[in-house]
Amino acid sequence: MVHGSEVITIERFIMEQERLYPEATGELSNLLYDVCLAAKIISRHVRRAGLTDILGAAGAVNVSGDLQQKLDLFANETVRNSVHHTGRVCVTASEEDQVPMPVPPGKPAGKYVVLYDPLDGSTNIDVNVSIGTIFSIHKRVTKRSSPAGLADCLQAGKKQVAAGYILYGSSTMLVYTTGQGVHGFTLDPTIGEFLLSHPNITTPPVGKYYSVNESNWNRWTPPVQRVVGAFKNGEGKVQPKNARYIGSLVADFHRNLISGGIFLYPADTNHPQGKLRLLYEAGPLAFVVEQAGGRATDGCRSILDIVPADLHQHTPLVIGSKDDVAYAARVLSAEAVPVK
Ligand code: AHG
Ligand code: MN
Ligand code: MN
């Protein structure tokens, strides 16, 4: 998109951001370009999914028990192949890989760690509903002399150096932060470039929408039912909101980020630790939303403060407009009830 009268590609924008840091080596900038390349390749396949043999299940389940779709696996390989050989990364970890994937011996290992959900919203692939990719970038914490691995992946979200997502929606957008605000780029497929379309995204303190899978109502604790009921019908100072739920976290999150809203995936009796993953979904989106003026909690605690104990750790997630997240935290902290 032409922002004002200037056409600013993501490469140029990243370079200008890098100039703000004279000590920057350019490695993070180049890693972000690598993620862009992966995004373009995945977008090309998503846009033609109905015409090529990339729809449907791949016939296996991942470590979280989710049925893997062909596009899950394609996207998983594409991200890994776009970053692994560059010398900028030492290890990657994905929702679709059982264990961390260190850069193979003999290949140059860099200082960055990439954690990612290669394809978010997989159940929506075959019905042509928006899906996404989510990524989180950390610096390695182990010594370069030893192989990178799990310790480099299990870092609190507040240690992230960059995070973002690609939304394969009515257009393909890439939204990211490196801690200097949140910026959105729209892919112009006619020139194969992501162009700056949404500089300095901020999210309203009170949301228009609430997004939750209400079919879980009977599996929630009473405090969670009270919070969702307040967003639905109003309570005290909380005004009723419009319900919007796409079932792809990235799509629900992005709509709420732009328009103001709150997304909830609380713990329930089917998912006592919550359904979403801390490292690949909650953590990166928490970094983005906080940089846009929003908040993200597990209902009570800030997502960015949680130190992961397990690579595929699940967490309840309440994320979006800060006043709405704060209301939920007040109720859920005061009336904390364990999910039985
Ligand atoms: P993924 O496809 O990466 O497993 O993510 C699916 C997630 C998330 O995108 C979405 O918000 C949630 O699952 C929807 O879950 P329900 O269908 O249980 O509402
Ligand atoms: Mn996901
Ligand atoms: Mn996924």
Side-chain angles (χ1 to χ4, degrees):
M1 170 187 169
V2 176
H3 178 67
S5 60
E6 265 189 297
V7 176
I8 302 176
T9 64
I10 191 166
E11 286 80 4
R12 192 170 137 215
F13 184 87
I14 292 171
M15 217 182 320
E16 284 171 2
Q17 290 272 309
E18 182 192 314
R19 280 202 199 108
L20 302 175
Y21 300 90
E23 74 286 358
T25 63
E27 281 182 278
L28 181 59
S29 297
N30 283 305
L31 177 51
L32 289 168
Y33 302 156
D34 300 334
V35 171
C36 272
L37 174 63
K40 291 177 191 174
I41 295 170
I42 296 168
S43 179
R44 184 185 65 187
H45 283 74
V46 166
R47 298 290 167 220
R48 302 188 67 249
L51 304 171
T52 59
D53 178 24
I54 202 155
L55 289 179
V61 293
N62 66 16
V63 63
S64 297
D66 305 327
L67 186 64
Q68 288 179 316
Q69 303 298 307
K70 288 178 194 162
L71 207 49
D72 279 323
L73 300 182
F74 173 80
N76 194 37
E77 299 295 318
T78 299
V79 172
R80 190 182 324 124
N81 295 339
S82 299
V83 302
H84 244 221
H85 64 284
T86 61
R88 295 185 262 277
V89 168
C90 56
V91 61
T92 59
S94 157
E95 173 191 284
E96 303 303 340
D97 292 327
Q98 182 107 14
V99 294
M101 310 293 268
V103 167
K107 293 258 186 202
K111 64 183 175 190
Y112 290 110
V113 177
V114 179
L115 311 174
Y116 63 104
D117 176 358
L119 213 292
D120 174 69
S122 306
T123 53
N124 281 326
I125 294 172
D126 289 5
V127 292
N128 200 23
V129 169
S130 300
I131 48 183
T133 298
I134 309 170
F135 63 92
S136 164
I137 299 175
H138 283 278
K139 274 191 181 153
R140 77 176 295 174
V141 291
T142 56
K143 286 199 225 39
R144 293 180 77 99
S145 52
S146 54
L150 191 57
D152 296 298
C153 301
L154 298 182
Q155 298 184 54
K158 60 189 168 193
K159 301 276 193 185
Q160 291 175 94
V161 294
Y165 56 89
I166 297 95
L167 174 59
Y168 312 103
S170 42
S171 63
T172 294
M173 273 194 76
L174 190 152
V175 176
Y176 84 95
T177 184
T178 57
Q180 306 305 320
V182 177
H183 310 287
F185 302 80
T186 300
L187 181 62
D188 180 338
T190 62
I191 57 173
E193 293 282 5
F194 277 106
L195 304 181
L196 180 65
S197 53
H198 297 70
N200 298 306
I201 298 174
T202 55
T203 196
V206 176
K208 280 171 69 172
Y209 301 114
Y210 76 100
S211 309
V212 68
N213 185 338
E214 295 199 47
S215 69
N216 293 326
W217 180 274
N218 294 327
R219 290 189 282 274
W220 293 331
T221 61
V224 168
Q225 291 171 341
R226 180 182 158 199
V227 165
V228 174
F231 292 141
K232 188 186 178 87
N233 305 311
E235 181 199 79
K237 292 195 185 117
V238 178
Q239 296 301 313
K241 303 178 189 297
N242 254 338
R244 287 283 188 283
Y245 192 73
I246 299 171
S248 291
L249 171 60
V250 170
D252 281 315
F253 174 83
H254 182 74
R255 180 206 52 246
N256 291 351
L257 183 76
I258 301 294
S259 307
I262 184 161
F263 173 97
L264 308 96
Y265 208 110
D268 62 57
T269 48
N270 285 348
H271 308 93
Q273 303 307 317
K275 174 182 182 183
L276 300 176
R277 276 72 34 145
L278 176 61
L279 288 181
Y280 316 113
E281 294 168 311
L285 296 186
F287 187 16
V288 170
V289 83
E290 296 231 350
Q291 280 289 310
R295 287 289 174 274
T297 69
D298 64 358
C300 304
R301 294 177 301 169
S302 165
I303 290 287
L304 294 179
D305 290 339
I306 301 175
V307 179
D310 173 78
L311 196 61
H312 299 287
Q313 182 167 324
H314 295 258
T315 178
L317 180 62
V318 179
I319 189 167
S321 293
K322 69 180 175 68
D323 293 353
D324 296 330
V325 173
Y327 163 76
R330 279 197 302 279
V331 173
L332 298 177
S333 310
E335 305 176 19
V337 170
V339 173
K340 290 192 186 60

